Amino acid sequence: MRKSDLLLEEKHHDAFASEYTQRRKGDFIWEVPEEIFLLKKKYFRKKITVVDMGCGPAISVVNILGRKLLDKLNYLGIDISKEMLKLAKKNIPKGKFIKGDISNPKIKANSIDVIISLGALHHVKSKKLTLHRWSIILRRGGYILLREPTYEALKRGMGESPIEEGIKFSELTESFTLNNLLPVKYNFFSTP
């Protein structure tokens, strides 16, 4: 991602960090589907390494998985916003955190068991390149758990932050194929 885009995203997320914590506590469309369809405890075993890409305040993973389980994992949160990371550190005290760009994580190849991205991938310019980089750090048999808006639901310029844009389903499936990732399940949601 270009440095100017990163700075725009960082500035936006720093400004709204505390609001994200408040919104996540009871927002049905974001919270409940994650618990029912995505963040199932079966993906999270003791001692595995989990990276939360664009972790924000990490409130969803705490609300759904609970601190007890999170304390047994090697949890790493990556976010562009220092304000979001301050909140995340309070929410997951035993976690590790990196201020950085999720489109190019500085993580050793084949070292991650689960990658979580709860509404962060649509903030990067090249979703395909980002998914390719994520596939490199993922261990064989690992999982990438995504919750993202589609391009049809969130066209560029319609979102809250400056560069966010939904993902084209064809781009997502092409990325999976090119990177030898096997989709386990797709769920589609819409709001009234």
Side-chain angles (χ1 to χ4, degrees), residues 6 13-14 20-21 38 49 72 78-79 85 93 99-100 103 112 128 134 151 156 160 164 168 191:
L6 283 171
H13 286 91
D14 277 348
Y20 274 78
T21 300
L38 185 61
T49 302
K72 294 176 184 174
I78 301 176
D79 205 280
L85 290 173
K99 182 180 179 302
S103 67
I112 305 301
K128 285 166 73 170
W134 291 2
Y151 177 77
R156 189 174 175 98
E160 292 178 351
E164 66 184 310
K168 294 177 182 165
T191 55

Side-chain angles (χ1 to χ4, degrees), residues 141-182:
Y143 294 95
I144 298 176
L145 306 174
L146 297 172
R147 190 244 319 123
E148 294 295 332
T150 62
Y151 177 77
E152 294 74 19
L154 182 65
K155 293 189 170 111
R156 189 174 175 98
M158 292 174 53
E160 292 178 351
S161 75
I163 69 162
E164 66 184 310
E165 176 180 60
I167 297 172
K168 294 177 182 165
F169 188 72
S170 60
E171 190 175 47
L172 183 64
T173 56
E174 182 183 330
S175 291
F176 286 166
T177 302
L178 289 172
N179 294 296
N180 296 316
L181 299 171
L182 178 63

Side-chain angles (χ1 to χ4, degrees), residues 119-138:
L121 184 60
H122 70 276
H123 288 273
V124 303
K125 280 276 196 194
S126 176
K127 285 104 176 127
K128 285 166 73 170
L129 181 57
T130 300
L131 283 168
H132 172 70
R133 289 173 174 156
W134 291 2
S135 73
I136 291 170
I137 65 173
L138 192 66

